Amino acid sequence: MLSIFFFIFLSHACSVKSKLPQNIFILAGQSNMAGRGGVINNTKTNTVSWDGIVPSQCQPNPSILRLNAKFTWVQAHEPLHADIDLDKTNGVGPGMSFANAILTKHRSFGVIGLVPCAIGGTNISEWRKGSFNYEQMVRRTRVALQSDGVIRALLWYQGEADTITLEDAESYKGRLEKFFTDLRSDLQDPMLPIIQVGLASGQGPFVDIVREAQLGSDLLNVQCVDAKGLPLEPDGLHLTTPSQVRLGEMLADAFLRSIPSPIKANAISNASTMFTNYVSYFLLIQLLTSLSIILT
């Protein structure tokens, strides 16, 4: 009876650990990262609502988790930023299609943990080191790392708010690269993979200047996925739901091209898990043997 209890306990412990994310992705930036796909502005009633349509590429998956506002891992579902980008109407973003695309192409990749941090309407200065958005993002990422996972990449979609004035647009490249460098330093990952999105739209007339800064980054291990040409909502600013799905798939392709082999990386993780389970089993047998001697 005692042995059965210990085996059940060990099985439960291993099951809980296996559900923690091994592959962590930070999602940060503005509203197009938070997700406005399917968000409808009814001018007659002056209300904004999400249509609730979730494409098949964005459906929940037991192997995709999100870190919620209470710093707890839960199964991810749209809208990913519902409790993060507060006082906004959130809809479909690129995060779920990104994660599902990775798992579709590499089923043994492991559990994915998404860390939503995007805040709509923010310019790059509101993400500088010391700002609330920056410090909250770093805090959330550090909590996420307590699951013994690894940060696989930062997914960054921001810049629409920096197209309003010429000064902000011309300063964007320097501010952006300072932000990336500070984040890598604070997360103690000097080569943290960063995949940013080239603007599809902007809030002002200087979109091309910001796009040039995004597409011409001099930092190592920084990629840019270009969203230009993806269809927009009637507001001319936010990506539609199908566009968000496509963007997520583009981000997944960029990530998978940047690593030698996610399968090999996961094989190492699986080998480590198998070793840990073997040691736990061995120690359990030793404990049961000792208890058996004592009871006799």
Side-chain angles (χ1 to χ4, degrees):
M1 185 69 180
L2 185 61
S3 61
I4 294 175
F5 169 79
F6 274 107
F7 276 116
I8 292 174
F9 175 80
L10 179 62
S11 175
H12 175 72
C14 292
S15 174
V16 170
K17 184 174 181 180
S18 68
K19 292 180 181 178
L20 292 177
Q22 300 131 358
N23 306 285
I24 296 171
F25 294 91
I26 309 166
L27 313 180
Q30 286 189 234
S31 53
N32 271 319
M33 177 57 77
R36 298 294 187 267
V39 173
I40 302 169
N41 184 6
N42 190 325
T43 56
K44 293 182 179 180
T45 60
N46 197 28
T47 58
V48 180
S49 60
W50 175 45
D51 61 17
I53 298 174
V54 179
S56 59
Q57 301 94 325
C58 302
Q59 291 294 325
N61 184 319
S63 293
I64 304 175
L65 307 180
R66 67 180 287 270
L67 191 71
N68 67 16
K70 296 180 179 180
F71 299 93
T72 301
W73 288 113
V74 297
Q75 185 168 333
H77 61 80
E78 299 286 6
L80 278 177
H81 282 76
D83 59 348
I84 301 298
D85 193 13
L86 300 176
D87 301 322
K88 314 277 177 56
T89 301
N90 292 275
V92 173
M96 287 301 295
S97 63
F98 165 81
N100 274 312
I102 290 178
L103 294 180
T104 297
K105 295 181 179 182
H106 293 284
R107 297 187 181 278
S108 60
F109 185 75
V111 179
I112 291 176
L114 302 176
V115 184
C117 301
I119 303 294
T122 52
N123 61 35
I124 191 64
S125 296
E126 294 176 272
W127 289 92
R128 69 185 183 279
K129 182 180 173 68
S131 67
F132 175 81
N133 294 331
Y134 179 91
E135 298 301 330
Q136 183 74 348
M137 174 178 57
V138 170
R139 182 187 177 199
R140 286 177 56 76
T141 303
R142 287 174 175 165
V143 171
L145 286 171
Q146 293 175 9
S147 67
D148 293 330
V150 176
I151 304 175
R152 303 306 296 266
L154 162 69
L155 306 184
W156 175 256
Y157 191 171
Q158 188 276 334
E160 293 93 340
D162 292 273
T163 66
I164 299 173
T165 69
L166 181 60
E167 179 184 359
D168 281 344
E170 291 181 336
S171 301
Y172 189 78
K173 183 175 182 180
R175 292 170 177 171
L176 179 68
E177 293 186 349
K178 178 69 164 56
F179 163 72
F180 288 159
T181 301
D182 286 341
L183 182 62
R184 283 173 163 175
S185 176
D186 284 338
L187 295 179
Q188 299 180 349
D189 189 347
M191 290 300 290
L192 170 69
I194 297 171
I195 308 175
Q196 62 172 326
V197 180
L199 293 183
S201 61
Q203 295 172 243
F206 302 108
V207 176
D208 289 341
I209 297 176
V210 173
R211 279 179 47 80
E212 183 178 349
Q214 295 171 328
L215 294 168
S217 177
D218 300 320
L219 296 180
L220 295 175
N221 217 20
V222 175
Q223 301 184 68
C224 187
V225 169
D226 199 351
K228 186 175 182 179
L230 291 177
L232 302 173
E233 296 283 6
D235 62 10
L237 182 63
H238 297 111
L239 298 182
T240 64
T241 294
S243 294
Q244 288 286 15
V245 171
R246 178 62 188 135
L247 177 60
E249 293 170 344
M250 292 163 63
L251 288 166
D253 288 340
F255 169 73
L256 293 174
R257 285 195 304 267
S258 70
I259 57 177
S261 172
I263 296 178
K264 289 181 180 179
N266 191 61
I268 294 174
S269 174
N270 288 341
S272 175
T273 301
M274 289 176 63
F275 176 76
T276 301
N277 289 344
Y278 173 79
V279 171
S280 299
Y281 176 78
F282 176 78
L283 292 176
L284 179 61
I285 293 300
Q286 292 291 96
L287 177 61
L288 291 174
T289 303
S290 300
L291 287 172
S292 177
I293 294 173
I294 293 172
L295 291 174
T296 56

